[in-house]
């Protein structure tokens, strides 16, 4: 199976989560609105950069970096064979 960077078009859930390992920041973003604003081809990695652009750790340099990541993407990678539904919530012990 060919691996390619995931984009908004690959997300089937209505929301996508963004989290930070450094500061504990957490948020859920509406996928439909994100597609309208940025387009379906926006890479998830770029979305993480956009969502965390106001992070105080982003500008600090290499030793104290921002820990932002897409929680939904991490959950999808951890359990790719699980059917539809909220992958993030399932990974956290929910639905």
């Amino acid at each position: 199976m060919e691996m390619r960077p995931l984009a908004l078009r690959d997300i089937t859930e209505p929301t996508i989560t963004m989290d930070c390992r450094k500061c504990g920041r957490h948020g859920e973003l509406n996928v439909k609105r994100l597609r309208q604003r940025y387009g379906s081809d926006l890479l998830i990695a770029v979305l993480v950069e956009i969502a965390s652009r106001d992070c105080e750790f982003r500008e600090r340099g290499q030793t104290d970096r921002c820990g932002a990541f897409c929680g939904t993407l991490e959950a999808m990678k951890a359990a790719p064979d699980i059917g539809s539904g909220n992958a993030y919530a399932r990974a956290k012990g929910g639905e």
Side-chain angles (χ1 to χ4, degrees):
M1 183 169 120
E2 179 186 335
M3 295 299 291
R4 63 176 171 75
L6 291 180
L8 283 176
R9 72 176 160 274
D10 301 311
I11 305 300
T12 58
E13 299 170 11
T15 60
I16 190 169
T17 60
M18 295 289 158
D19 296 287
C20 182
R21 291 178 181 96
K22 192 82 163 178
C23 69
R25 212 168 148 177
H26 171 81
E28 291 190 22
L29 305 171
N30 183 292
V31 174
K32 183 177 180 180
R33 279 190 240 148
L34 290 169
R35 286 180 185 144
Q36 289 170 343
R37 183 170 184 180
Y38 299 109
S40 293
D41 293 331
L42 181 73
L43 297 177
I44 301 303
V46 175
L47 178 60
V48 170
E49 292 289 324
I50 292 169
S52 64
R53 68 178 159 229
D54 63 341
C55 174
E56 66 179 279
F57 293 104
R58 181 133 332 263
E59 301 299 322
R60 288 192 179 181
Q62 295 184 348
T63 59
D64 204 13
R65 290 185 176 223
C66 175
F69 68 100
C70 175
T72 301
L73 182 59
E74 294 290 316
M76 289 170 65
K77 286 179 184 178
D81 57 338
I82 297 176
S84 64
N86 188 327
Y88 180 80
R90 283 193 313 276
K92 294 289 187 181
E95 11 179 305

